[in-house]
Amino acid sequence: MGTHRLLEVSNLSVEFETYGGVVQAVRGVDFSVDAGEVLAIVGESGCGKSVTVQSIMGIIPMPPGKITGGSAKLKGSEILGLDAEAANQFRGKEIGMIFQDPMTSLNPTMTIGAQIAETLKVHRGLSTKQASEIASELLIRTRIPEAQKRLNQYPFEFSGGMLQRAMIAQSLACSPSLLIADEPTTALDVTIQAQILDLLKELQSRDGMAIILITHDLAVVARTAHNVCVMYAGQIVEQGSVDDIFYKSAHPYTLGLKLAMPSNVSQQNKKLEPIPGSPPDLFSPPSGCGYAARCPHAMRICHKENPPLFSDPSQPFHAARCWLQAPGAPKTQGLYQHNLIASHGQ
Amino acid sequence: MIETKNLKKHFQIGRNQTLHAVDGISISIAENEILGLVGESGSGKSTFGKTLIGLHERTAGDAFFNGLPLPQKYTAKDHLRYSADIQMIFQDPYASLNPRMTVLDIIGEGLALKGIPRADIQEEVGFWLRRVGLHPDHMSRFPHEFSGGQRQRIGIARAMIIKPKFVVCDEPISALDVSVQAQVVNLLEDLKASLGLTLLFIAHDLSMVRYISDRMAVMYLGTLVESGPSDAVFFEPKHPYTRLLIQSNPEADPVLERTRPSAALTGEITSPINMGPGCRFADRCPEALSHCKSVTPEPRLIASDHLVACHLYDEA
């Protein structure tokens, strides 16, 4: 992949202390993002995908949250566990973030213009006049019509799609090298979703911005991402290029997600195959593979021991956390299995 | 089995402002058929579903169930009478179950209203819990003890226990995860086959609607722009809006997505306030003709059972 490593996360673990006990929300996650790369982190509710990026940004409430291990290096320097002042040096400036629900993420009592200008004033020390000029340019860049008029409007005067554009404009204020988009289109209609995804792709290809896209929607991943991490029960179960994930699925969970979705690629209707059961309780995660209880191919070892990430030495970027990828594992229909197998990671 | 003629629901939102949420919808649903109703937020699809079964009072038009007219405004007695045949499943499995009632009371309420003895209700609720993939032991629990997918099954059991003939499903899977969506959709299909149900399936997920529906109808700003057999509407869309909507729908196929042109539809859906004549999509339509903004297009049959309301298909 690219040569310029932007963010490197290794062995990140996050816990939450709750009334019912300690939830191990993220259990040893490794990934990296290069400049200009779109990395999708995909998974279902509760898999830890949002907590992963929120802990990198330092925005999980602590307590109850607690980063119990690992590191996250932005351009080589550690960003986990910084105090508020140090964290503000990179938040917004180096890494921008947008959220699923722009209506609750923006301040309803401030005009859109004032909110974008605030970022510029705080991080770049601009005057109110300079800041509002740049704010208007940013709205034009995110294709908001009548930008000048829109600057003086409040969030309630914007539609959902326009608010998401305004939030992207705000996150671009300090030209960050990385944008984290947490379910940016989940609340939007498909037509607006297509527009926002196009805008993100344009920012990536024109300005070389790297994007981490958090989503539960495989179709959004297929449309936008270069590389993909599939998360399940607080761990990355498969990672690889978007083509690896879709055409050479190596983890039964990835395959299960694909089979549970309707496809319009051919006109024939295949019956949807739901994944039985539900994800494991992360209060006391199973000692074996987190997916074993729902996996149609589970073997004895799957229930006992959590597999490492297996990958083929010739394509080390594609890896799956599954015992079926171990040497001598039985062949499984529909599942891509490597020829030569080596393990990496922990 | 279900038929509407020129059904309208307008909301008065100010002295001189009327919101034309549903503006003249005529459709029919045959027995044991699933009609999928799609459209963007604000297109009026949920309002249509609710008006059809009497949760909103109709402004104009007619609705028929098995050939008999449904009342324009439901009284409490009407609701009781029609709820035996017509039921609804709601979008939000969190908001649509009373948090202070047990699962037994929630699912059994319809039977209790009919005066059925409690022991029989318990047995029936147990049967239905098992039927939707839960356990009879769950009946003494409260809604907060269940996940989203489980709650949606409770909602389905509540609707089905009455043995309705027609069920309106308003975005029944939008709030659920992918793996759970498939469970709920398969359950609805099973129930349709085994009970001979008729369903109106309202959703914005085009792929899922195409998968589950026999026929599909597309709404835009309170009007029906196209309807027909699902595969015909999805693979050979005729109305410019349907075409652009389906082009915007991403597929879980990266190679296909790389060849997809960028966002097909620019701009956004407006509010149908004080609408005049003309096609509602004319302002955004790339193929609009000179008279599209002034003359309302009538639905036209362009193939067997395939209706399109667009001037492009007017006879010369």
Side-chain angles (χ1 to χ4, degrees):
Chain A
M1 294 315 291
T3 46
H4 192 64
R5 180 124 312 170
L6 205 56
L7 178 71
E8 181 132 34
V9 176
S10 50
N11 204 16
L12 176 71
S13 300
V14 185
E15 291 180 356
F16 285 91
E17 208 153 312
T18 69
Y19 184 66
V22 175
V23 183
Q24 300 178 29
V26 178
R27 305 188 289 145
V29 161
D30 303 86
F31 65 88
S32 63
V33 187
D34 290 342
E37 171 187 345
V38 180
L39 172 75
I41 302 182
V42 63
E44 298 181 281
S45 334
C47 72
K49 56 191 191 301
S50 289
V51 172
T52 300
V53 293
Q54 284 169 7
S55 28
I56 295 168
M57 287 293 273
I59 53 172
I60 53 167
M62 292 195 261
K66 192 174 161 203
I67 296 171
T68 50
S71 80
K73 289 200 166 78
L74 180 72
K75 294 180 178 163
S77 52
E78 181 63 49
I79 54 170
L80 281 190
L82 297 181
D83 59 45
E85 205 173 312
N88 280 336
Q89 289 303 311
F90 79 86
R91 276 200 298 238
K93 212 170 181 178
E94 295 280 349
I95 308 182
M97 186 157 183
I98 57 174
F99 300 89
Q100 172 172 351
D101 187 354
M103 203 66 191
T104 54
S105 317
L106 289 166
N107 186 335
T109 68
M110 280 169 83
T111 62
I112 295 290
Q115 299 191 49
I116 298 175
E118 187 184 32
T119 318
L120 289 161
K121 286 196 268 185
V122 170
H123 283 299
R124 283 170 54 181
L126 299 183
S127 71
T128 309
K129 189 162 170 285
Q130 287 170 316
S132 105
E133 268 166 27
I134 295 183
S136 140
E137 279 167 29
L138 287 167
L139 289 192
I140 293 168
R141 232 175 107 194
T142 50
R143 310 205 181 292
I144 296 184
E146 301 177 85
Q148 208 54 46
K149 181 182 137 202
R150 288 296 202 168
L151 279 180
N152 296 316
Q153 289 186 336
Y154 289 89
F156 77 90
E157 296 172 89
F158 278 56
S159 67
M162 283 299 154
L163 273 182
Q164 198 54 281
R165 284 170 197 272
M167 206 155 70
I168 294 173
Q170 186 185 25
S171 67
L172 296 180
C174 296
S175 324
S177 38
L178 173 65
L179 178 71
I180 297 179
D182 191 355
E183 303 264 13
T185 59
T186 305
L188 306 175
D189 281 311
V190 278
T191 55
I192 311 298
Q193 166 172 290
Q195 295 172 8
I196 297 288
L197 294 181
D198 280 354
L199 176 64
L200 291 177
K201 277 203 289 197
E202 191 187 303
L203 293 171
Q204 176 268 325
S205 62
R206 197 190 53 196
D207 305 344
M209 197 163 71
I211 297 175
I212 298 180
L213 177 73
I214 312 286
T215 181
H216 68 277
D217 188 339
L218 285 177
V220 168
V221 174
R223 189 177 169 96
T224 323
H226 301 129
N227 296 310
V228 185
C229 296
V230 181
M231 276 190 79
Y232 186 79
Q235 294 186 316
I236 291 176
V237 295
E238 183 168 359
Q239 61 188 36
S241 72
V242 69
D243 287 14
D244 287 338
I245 298 295
F246 281 86
Y247 304 123
K248 294 178 181 172
S249 309
H251 196 285
Y253 177 62
T254 315
L255 196 66
L257 280 181
K258 274 178 15 194
L259 295 175
M261 287 174 69
S263 159
N264 305 304
V265 175
S266 89
Q267 291 208 13
Q268 256 124 44
N269 246 344
K270 60 175 177 74
K271 179 103 177 143
L272 300 185
E273 292 177 34
I275 301 175
S278 47
D281 189 354
L282 293 179
F283 283 114
S284 52
S287 53
C289 167
Y291 190 60
R294 304 173 78 185
C295 181
H297 314 295
M299 304 174 288
R300 213 175 312 140
I301 187 168
C302 301
H303 295 281
K304 276 196 207 136
E305 223 178 302
N306 196 22
L309 278 165
F310 287 105
S311 66
D312 183 330
S314 65
Q315 1 172 337
F317 191 68
H318 184 198
R321 194 181 283 283
C322 178
W323 285 118
L324 286 169
Q325 300 298 345
K331 290 271 164 276
T332 305
Q333 219 210 332
L335 202 67
Y336 177 82
Q337 282 166 300
H338 301 286
N339 296 322
L340 277 166
I341 287 137
S343 72
H344 88 139
Q346 58 299 115
Chain B
M1 175 174 222
I2 288 284
E3 197 177 359
T4 67
K5 281 189 184 147
N6 207 16
L7 186 116
K8 290 185 184 182
K9 174 66 201 173
H10 295 174
F11 293 99
Q12 207 64 41
I13 54 169
R15 195 177 296 164
N16 291 315
Q17 291 202 310
T18 307
L19 183 91
H20 299 230
V22 177
D23 214 9
I25 300 278
S26 306
I27 54 164
S28 57
I29 311 175
E31 194 166 349
N32 203 16
E33 177 180 77
I34 300 184
L35 176 73
L37 184 60
V38 295
E40 294 174 82
S41 5
S43 62
K45 55 192 192 303
S46 286
T47 309
F48 172 75
K50 288 182 180 166
T51 310
L52 178 60
I53 65 167
L55 294 180
H56 289 308
E57 188 183 332
R58 281 202 300 280
T59 307
D62 298 300
F64 301 92
F65 174 66
N66 276 339
L68 300 169
L70 291 167
Q72 195 230 345
K73 185 178 182 178
Y74 278 58
T75 59
K77 233 184 198 162
D78 286 330
H79 276 298
L80 199 57
R81 196 171 103 209
Y82 287 106
S83 66
D85 289 327
I86 303 178
Q87 281 289 322
M88 181 152 179
I89 298 166
F90 297 90
Q91 169 172 6
D92 186 345
Y94 292 85
S96 56
L97 302 179
N98 187 337
R100 299 169 66 160
M101 283 166 78
T102 61
V103 169
L104 172 65
D105 291 336
I106 290 171
I107 299 179
E109 192 176 19
L111 296 180
L113 284 171
K114 286 184 172 175
I116 289 169
R118 196 160 167 90
D120 294 355
I121 293 177
Q122 258 179 21
E123 195 175 316
E124 193 73 353
V125 169
F127 169 81
W128 272 100
L129 281 172
R130 209 172 290 132
R131 186 76 180 78
V132 298
L134 297 170
H135 199 271
D137 290 352
H138 290 154
M139 70 172 77
S140 55
R141 297 195 189 172
F142 289 91
H144 75 264
E145 297 173 71
F146 296 90
S147 69
Q150 289 174 322
R151 286 174 199 222
Q152 200 54 285
R153 291 151 196 266
I154 295 172
I156 292 173
R158 169 175 68 180
M160 298 301 172
I161 200 166
I162 311 287
K163 302 202 172 66
K165 299 193 173 69
F166 175 60
V167 180
V168 174
C169 310
D170 188 4
E171 303 260 14
I173 53 167
S174 312
L176 307 177
D177 272 320
V178 179
S179 64
V180 183
Q181 281 187 356
Q183 296 173 3
V184 171
V185 163
N186 282 354
L187 172 65
L188 284 173
E189 276 199 312
D190 282 357
L191 292 173
K192 177 211 161 194
S194 58
L195 304 176
L197 279 177
T198 307
L199 296 177
L200 175 65
F201 190 89
I202 302 171
H204 63 260
D205 181 339
L206 292 163
S207 308
M208 206 50 112
V209 169
R210 184 208 143 227
Y211 173 80
I212 195 172
S213 314
D214 302 303
R215 285 165 66 235
M216 192 159 148
V218 185
M219 272 183 87
Y220 187 78
L221 283 184
T223 58
L224 212 56
V225 297
E226 183 161 358
S227 67
S230 290
D231 280 3
V233 174
F234 194 92
F235 291 108
E236 297 150 42
K238 291 292 187 285
H239 195 283
Y241 175 67
T242 319
R243 279 210 286 264
L244 292 167
L245 187 67
I246 286 164
Q247 266 177 43
S248 309
N249 186 45
E251 297 286 337
D253 189 337
V255 168
L256 185 83
E257 286 303 321
R258 263 170 236 145
T259 61
R260 187 187 293 275
S262 58
L265 194 53
T266 53
E268 295 184 3
I269 193 166
T270 49
S271 290
I273 297 170
N274 294 346
M275 297 301 287
C279 170
R280 305 230 157 141
F281 187 57
D283 282 337
R284 298 170 76 192
C285 182
E287 298 167 68
L289 305 168
S290 57
H291 58 295
C292 286
K293 285 188 187 176
S294 49
V295 185
T296 308
E298 291 299 320
R300 187 174 290 280
L301 205 57
I302 52 145
S304 125
D305 192 36
H306 195 158
L307 280 168
V308 181
C310 177
H311 287 306
L312 291 175
Y313 299 92
D314 286 350
E315 275 142 31

